[in-house]
Amino acid sequence: MKRLYTQLLLFFPLLFLAQIPVVESPDGKGKYKKDNQVILQKLEIETKIAGKISTNTITMVLRNNSGRLREGRITFPLPEGVNASGYALDINGKLRNAVPVEKEKAKEVYQTIRKRNIDPGLLEKVSGNNFRTTVYPIAPNGGERTVRITYQYELKKSGDFLQYFLPLNQTAEIPEFDIKTTVFQNLDAPMLEEKPDGSYNFVSTGNVWTAEMHKKNYRPDNNLKINFPVQDKSQRIVVQNAADNFSYFLADISVYSNERMKKLPNNLAVVWDNSLSGKNRDHVKEMALLEEYFKSNKNLTVNIYFINNIFEQGQSFKISNGNWSELKTYLLKTTYDGGTDFGKLKPLSEDEVLFFTDGLSSFGELNMPWKQPVYTIAASNNIDFNQLKFISSTTGGEFLNLNENNPEKEVRKLVFQPLRFLGIENNIQLSEVYPSLPQTIAEDFVLTGIVKGDHTTATLKFGYGNEVTETKTIDVNINEQAVKDWEISKFWAQKKLNELEIFEKKNKNEIKNVSRQFGLVSNNMSLMVLENVEDYVRYDIAPPAELKKQFDEIVKNDKAKKDERVKDLMENAEKMTQNLKTWWEKEYDQKKKLRQYPKPESRRAASDSTSRQAEIEEVVLIGYNNSRTDDESEVSEPKREQLQMSVRGMSSIASNTVPNALSGSVRGVEVRNVTPAERPSDIINSGRILTVDIVSKAKYMKLFRDMNNPENIYETYLQNRKEYEEIPQYYFDVAQLLLKNNDKKRGLKVLSAIADLEFENEELYKLLAYKLKQAEAYDKELFAAEKVLEWRPFDPQSYRDLALALEDNGQYQAALDNFYKILTQSYTKELADRDVGIEETVIMEINQLIANHGSQLNLSNINPKIIADLPVNIRVVISWNKDDTDIDLWVTDPNNERCYYSHKETEIGGRLSDDFTGGFGPEQFLLKKAMKGKYKIQTNFFGEQQTGVAGPTAIMAEIYINYATGKQERKIVVFQNQKENGNKEDGILIGEFEF
């Protein structure tokens, strides 16, 4: 057994780490960038190798050189098929291990705790196979925070050697740099082909080899590359014991990767991803692959197709004697722009398809129309491996990873039929064996699974296509192959996850289950660190081992404050519905107010105190609303001494004058009961909506001054894009110009490019959804809204945005169901308090659906107490795309009376919903009957507590006349805030009504 184990431990990894982790900090303009404020003070890389497996730990110390609290963001890539399996953050100077938490719950807890100005530690998987964590706060003037990341890596063979490669070339010095590599049970010294400097050498203690280096202010000039000759080609197996007589095994099996010639295609389709993110691919490697391909397939027809937010056919080329120079020139001149929408792919008739892409479909879900073999080819740091493997595996093609393998090697998958693993023969002692899908054999092959009992054999089948041409038998012996201190189970779990994520939607629950049990970060599971044990109890999160005893004691004695969740919003919704009905059933004085002038003092004294009191009341009333001149018609917003705070269960119901109005005690307002004969159709009033184009004040707008030719606008945009390519507002403003000049095709292309800037960013996708709604691109609005809900399912606004998008797409029942979910979901108390009053807006939207589309709806699950006919002449709703932001809605009527947050009901019956001083809105204005005249709609930016990647806050106003009457009209205004934080001058005019 000792000899077998020694042979196994000879194997060394080709460890691919795309780059040293990137440390960035906010620049105050919505982006993250490298600077000297928050730096990587110390980097420690430790790798432990045992045969076919390795455990890798990266410890990073961030230092704040500035004079204020700062935030640091760390992003690092991992190789294909590798998941982060450990995360720790220093709490009070000591590293605390993270625990797995479902991604949706982790985000909700993170957002809730942030309301207390504390940032928990959270490690998430983002686009491609990149992992990210944000660290806050880092104390000023030299404050430090420590983060540790762990992952397991399966070793790979390269030619006749096993090779460890770590790229270390850095442009900046690292103040403290430590690296240590340990190889266990190895008879011969590792061969250093390349090393950082002369001090890095292996020394042995028995059969354990260690090399380490500790440097100050170090900038590595060389990479680290270590080679080991492959001395033994027999099977190598390691086993980890588990409970109930089960064990996990990992088998490294030498299989000669025989290849067979295949019939090369005469007609080839090349689908080239020319979206904005496509420009970041390594086109040199892509050209090298095609160069090698045309050396083998020298005479054929190649048809080019392009995919960004649309699918277009390009030119056709005849390749003769391998000469493809014209095709190469054509591809190198590609313009990259727009988002990526795999939903636009169309059927092709060619023999095979080469699909050059990163696999990130940022603007639509995949529609797979291709039946012929598709070879997906990736050459980018951000890759959706699962998407590309799904496309290739379901069509009989192959996935080519140019990011980790050289083109000369990968081209063989295109010109030969490779040997494939086709499965194992039935064995009741073996279960959960991976890979379970057919897999191409490269230079080595690894099988992992679960075995019951002490000993069994497994027969592996190999062949071409679906034809078995050879078998191999492996012997799994727990007594001889068991190892200690190595987590074979995590390698098994990683292999299983890789397959589950190919069909992610179908396997979502099992992905969560495996990720949770084995502590792996995936698309559905994060790793989280909380600051105190009480929070683990409060949010029902299992703590790390070091807090388990304290956690159990608190739970046992019931001392912890449990998470105060608001069960649902239904009780408030019922009260709000009754309040709205009461408001709607009253009729207000609709007369145009005559201008009032100061009355001269009467020469005759009042005869009694009663008449005197009446006169005083009249003067007070006149002074309240009707003593302004035309030049003084605007109601200035009073200064807010502090942010308003609403608490769930204590909210005001729209107006503090309604109760008085009901008792007839509000002077100057005529209130009478509406007649029973009044019908919703009686509310319809002829009028029109006038909207205002909000002109961007960005400096680049000078480039487009006086331009109205879409082609010139687009060319100017491309010429200047490099300077502004990471600024979403640039794409937003140019798209606005193109749409305004009736070029919807280019306008949507530029707008969709926002989706390629940063995936899984709800601010960007909310911005997109708003503008797509305005552009009437309702299918894409729906896609964006679905993504926001996927990322933030704990926000009621996510359900509302989706419901509005579903309604725009004619899916009325689904829209109703999602509106209703807002009232039936549970929320953390912090988020429920943030969104107090949202019920008023949702009730209007539910009842509008019922009024206009009731015959198409099933209302059996809807609480009848929230159903009411509430048609109105005027309705305005504003929403915005950022949390912790305060936007105010103002509506001024023909009497020059403004309805706004501190004056929420007007004399003619205008009504404003609760003021949202945080969150995403919405705020709503209603007027049942509009008097003749002009109404002015304004928004006022009061402030935001953060500037995100999406740039200035985006505001959407939905403006209706004759809402819920069956004859309603709507206009949409979308713009990005033009005011600076703290600038409280008059609001921005966005539209007017005329009746």
Side-chain angles (χ1 to χ4, degrees), residues 370-402:
W370 300 330
K371 306 301 180 185
Q372 62 273 70
V374 179
Y375 296 83
T376 53
I377 302 161
S380 171
N381 283 334
N382 290 334
I383 302 170
D384 189 335
F385 294 108
N386 300 323
Q387 183 102 286
L388 298 184
K389 288 178 180 179
F390 172 80
I391 293 171
S392 60
S393 65
T394 55
T395 59
E398 294 284 345
F399 168 57
L400 284 66
N401 188 347
L402 300 183

Side-chain angles (χ1 to χ4, degrees), residues 84-86 100 152 248 450 487-494 496-497 512-521 527:
S85 58
Q152 274 73 32
Y248 294 92
I450 299 175
E487 296 184 289
I488 309 302
S489 58
K490 288 202 173 185
F491 286 86
W492 170 86
Q494 199 159 262
K496 180 177 176 70
L497 268 183
K512 289 181 179 180
N513 179 40
V514 172
S515 300
R516 182 187 299 107
Q517 288 191 46
F518 296 91
L520 298 176
V521 179
L527 293 179

Side-chain angles (χ1 to χ4, degrees), residues 515-534:
S515 300
R516 182 187 299 107
Q517 288 191 46
F518 296 91
L520 298 176
V521 179
S522 66
N523 292 335
N524 297 281
M525 191 67 62
S526 301
L527 293 179
M528 193 167 208
V529 176
L530 301 181
E531 187 166 294
N532 55 68
V533 68
E534 289 80 13

